Amino acid sequence: MELSARKDGHWPVAGTDEAGRGPLAGPVVAAAVILDPDNIPQGLNDSKQLTLSERENLFEVILSTATVAIASSGPKRIDGMNILRASLDAMRRSVLSLSLAPRLVLVDGRDVPPGLQCHGRAVVKGDARSVSIAAASIVAKVTRDRMMARAGAVFPAYGFANHVGYATVVHRRNIEIHGPCLLHRMSFRPLRKDEPPAED
């Protein structure tokens, strides 16, 4: 996809992706990456298809060879905007934070973030079709996992380092025991408390 865009005169090309749309706790993290076409890391793939060590190694290589920016939307923003809008907003901010302005942004998924300063193209299953999106998915995933590991030290009752905020049995049990903390997304079930029906 990047080679085709370059032939059409769209260069630089950035890829953007996010990590953490589904968890009950923590931020959604987005990354934007412009790869050096002469130095593309070997082994780029959807971050979910890579092992922990592969992701960690590629993370370091991407940061040392590419133009990278990272942004996040925390639980309050997610609860206030909804997760889709908060994810798109984080992707927009990551793209706008790049030190090199892209001419085209390839976006993983079905939606292009509003407010980009160049053309954006939504790419379904983009992390398997675009090396730039694959690189962004790795950066976003590793960054978020590290953030949640640090959060686990601040809020040790929930085991964030192990499940990174996803709704595992252990995580849900710890919420029942300790109640939610500042990192929990209160608009997500089962944390969301629906309004009781109005009485006649």
Side-chain angles (χ1 to χ4, degrees):
M1 296 193 75
E2 286 80 0
L3 288 175
S4 175
R6 191 174 189 180
K7 288 177 182 177
D8 292 339
H10 300 298
W11 196 262
V13 176
T16 185
D17 198 1
E18 50 71 29
R21 281 181 62 166
L24 297 178
V28 59
V29 175
V33 175
I34 298 174
L35 292 169
D36 178 351
D38 297 320
N39 193 10
I40 295 176
Q42 294 296 311
L44 289 176
N45 197 355
D46 174 4
S47 62
K48 295 183 287 294
Q49 303 299 319
L50 300 171
T51 65
L52 173 61
S53 62
E54 287 172 336
R55 283 197 302 269
E56 292 280 349
N57 290 336
L58 280 166
F59 177 83
E60 300 299 336
V61 174
I62 293 165
L63 291 190
S64 66
T65 60
T67 301
V68 179
I70 302 167
S72 66
S73 292
K76 286 187 177 181
R77 184 181 290 264
I78 292 168
D79 288 340
M81 299 179 72
N82 80 41
I83 185 61
L84 174 59
R85 290 174 61 193
S87 299
L88 293 173
D89 185 60
M91 286 192 277
R92 176 188 64 84
R93 287 183 284 115
S94 71
V95 171
L96 295 181
S97 298
L98 287 165
S99 60
L100 182 63
R103 295 284 300 276
L104 172 68
V105 179
L106 302 175
V107 185
D108 185 54
R110 299 182 180 278
D111 302 287
V112 174
L116 296 178
Q117 295 179 345
C118 64
H119 182 64
R121 182 183 303 162
V123 185
V124 176
K125 299 188 184 302
D127 39 18
R129 299 170 60 193
S130 158
V131 286
S132 299
I133 293 177
S137 77
I138 292 166
V139 173
K141 170 67 174 168
V142 172
T143 300
R144 187 179 187 279
D145 285 355
R146 291 180 179 183
M147 292 170 73
M148 294 307 293
R150 293 189 180 105
V154 179
F155 300 99
Y158 301 94
F160 287 138
N162 297 320
H163 53 65
V164 297
Y166 282 90
T168 63
V169 172
V170 171
H171 186 192
R172 292 169 70 120
R173 184 182 303 127
N174 286 335
I175 294 172
E176 290 177 3
I177 294 170
H178 303 286
C181 73
L182 292 174
L183 293 181
H184 283 102
R185 304 172 181 180
M186 300 308 295
S187 58
F188 278 41
R189 292 184 181 276
L191 294 162
R192 189 176 78 207
K193 305 299 182 186
D194 294 321
E195 291 293 329
E199 295 182 5
D200 294 333

